[in-house]
Amino acid sequence: MSHSPAELIKLNNLQLAARIISEELQGGIHTGRRIGAGTEFEQYKHYEPGDDPKRIDWKLFARSSKYLIKESTVESNLSIKFILDLSGSMNYEEDGIKRLEYAKVLLASLAFLAMQQHDKISFFTLKNGEVQQEVPTTPKSFQRMLFTLENVRAEGQWPDRAQTFPQLQSRERELVILVSDLLQTNEEWTNLVASLSQPRREIVLFQLLGQQEINFDLKGFYRFEDLESGSTLEMDAGSIREQYQKEMADYLNQLEKALFLPQVHLLRTTLDQPIADVLRQYLLKRKLY
């Protein structure tokens, strides 16, 4: 049985939480083995943009008219960029679980798995519309990333101006993992993801939302606060429930359509969902489980 997010957060130890989650997944992860260009043949895969054309089996193409590539297991050399949203809305809390703390445990667990696979790790944060490289790729990236995660704080909001992020650009084969609520006012997140999308880059987006943010199953008079601007509004929740639910459903549907891009995967989860289950879903999507 998977540990609850609250149990893992209360440990106040990201490395221990990451190890516990890894142990919960041990039955299905093929640790230490990657699919890539090697010497021992294992299987075929369809050619995709960014693959080396020299690896196409032309004899098989002559028989099947299909562009297939031989694959074998090799030690991983995958480069992974981890990105954490540190805007004020990441301070949202529901049933005692703060979105930022959930995100920290999730990222620590992903980094732990990457370390086990000998992947290259780097860590970036996004705050006030600016990107900051917190941890470069080094042999000690995992430990430095844990230390940084323990100390980062969320605050501020995205400025109302166009943004470019040259620090996140690369022509190398890499995996980008972004953890955020993906709540936006001026398409800032969809524009960012679109700017990062390219054939040799796989992008995985973890959208963390509270059940009440989606369903708004509230009754009575409430004081609502914008966690980014600090503005407040008092009203009866029941009077706006139907309109809120419709607008949120529309927003999430539009977001899915906008992020339906090549090599981009959107994984939406709620703060009550066990992190091991979220990672299991992620690994199944990437066919690593």
Side-chain angles (χ1 to χ4, degrees):
M1 182 177 178
S2 299
H3 287 74
S4 71
E7 291 173 322
L8 295 170
I9 291 170
K10 286 180 180 178
L11 291 173
N12 198 29
N13 186 319
L14 291 177
Q15 183 160 346
L16 177 58
R19 287 184 178 276
I20 290 173
I21 290 173
S22 176
E23 291 173 1
E24 292 175 351
L25 295 169
Q26 279 301 315
I29 297 177
H30 305 293
T31 55
R33 297 170 69 84
R34 288 283 188 187
I35 297 296
T39 56
E40 181 185 356
F41 173 71
E42 292 223 341
Q43 65 180 23
Y44 284 103
K45 79 181 237 357
H46 288 281
Y47 173 82
E48 297 177 355
D51 290 333
D52 186 353
K54 295 179 182 179
R55 293 169 56 205
I56 296 175
D57 188 326
W58 294 107
K59 292 183 179 179
L60 186 59
F61 170 78
R63 298 196 303 270
S64 66
S65 298
K66 295 180 180 179
Y67 294 96
L68 298 172
I69 291 177
K70 288 183 178 180
E71 288 192 324
S72 57
T73 56
V74 294
E75 183 178 353
S76 170
N77 60 353
L78 182 63
S79 176
I80 304 180
K81 281 188 172 79
F82 293 103
I83 307 174
L84 174 61
D85 174 16
L86 287 180
S87 55
S89 61
M90 292 296 288
N91 288 319
Y92 175 80
E93 185 174 339
E94 187 172 296
D95 293 332
I97 301 172
K98 185 176 288 188
R99 178 161 31 229
L100 180 60
E101 299 307 317
Y102 188 108
K104 288 181 179 183
V105 177
L106 175 62
L107 278 169
S109 302
L110 287 163
F112 185 83
L113 296 178
M115 179 193 65
Q116 289 183 314
Q117 298 285 0
H118 307 289
D119 290 326
K120 302 172 186 177
I121 298 171
S122 58
F123 177 50
F124 297 78
T125 56
L126 276 166
K127 181 187 288 189
N128 294 318
E130 296 182 358
V131 64
Q132 176 70 41
Q133 182 173 19
E134 305 286 353
V135 178
T137 301
T138 70
K140 296 183 179 180
S141 291
F142 173 67
Q143 293 297 336
R144 291 185 62 184
M145 182 172 167
L146 290 185
F147 176 79
T148 305
L149 279 171
E150 289 172 351
N151 292 280
V152 294
R153 299 293 180 266
E155 60 186 358
Q157 59 186 327
W158 202 288
D160 188 16
R161 64 176 185 270
Q163 302 289 305
T164 59
F165 302 95
Q167 305 97 317
L168 299 178
Q169 300 298 333
S170 172
R171 294 186 178 182
E172 297 182 2
R173 172 179 170 266
E174 65 180 9
L175 171 63
V176 174
I177 295 178
L178 168 65
V179 179
S180 169
D181 54 26
L182 296 180
L183 298 176
Q184 60 184 2
T185 56
N186 296 306
E187 299 183 344
E188 55 267 21
W189 289 117
T190 51
N191 288 339
L192 169 61
V193 175
S195 72
L196 295 177
S197 180
Q198 55 111 323
R200 291 181 62 80
R201 178 181 292 130
E202 182 180 1
I203 302 174
V204 180
L205 309 170
F206 287 93
Q207 184 180 24
L208 311 183
L209 296 173
Q211 288 282 3
Q212 293 296 350
E213 286 183 300
I214 298 174
N215 302 316
F216 202 72
D217 186 22
L218 300 175
K219 297 179 181 179
F221 202 75
Y222 283 84
R223 181 174 178 266
F224 299 96
E225 179 183 357
D226 186 325
L227 294 173
E228 297 191 0
S229 68
S231 62
T232 61
L233 181 66
E234 296 182 359
M235 62 173 58
D236 176 58
S239 66
I240 62 170
R241 182 185 304 113
E242 186 175 342
Q243 179 184 354
Y244 177 96
Q245 292 173 340
K246 180 182 183 306
E247 291 185 2
M248 176 57 83
D250 289 343
Y251 171 74
L252 295 179
N253 288 333
Q254 291 170 7
L255 185 68
E256 290 178 7
K257 292 178 181 178
L259 296 176
F260 188 70
L261 300 169
Q263 297 285 89
V264 175
H265 312 289
L266 173 62
L267 294 173
R268 181 177 298 138
T269 185
T270 51
L271 300 181
D272 59 334
Q273 185 171 359
I275 294 174
D277 293 350
V278 176
L279 288 180
R280 193 172 290 110
Q281 179 186 3
Y282 158 73
L283 294 167
L284 286 170
K285 184 175 284 289
R286 297 198 69 234
K287 299 179 181 179
L288 297 177
Y289 192 78

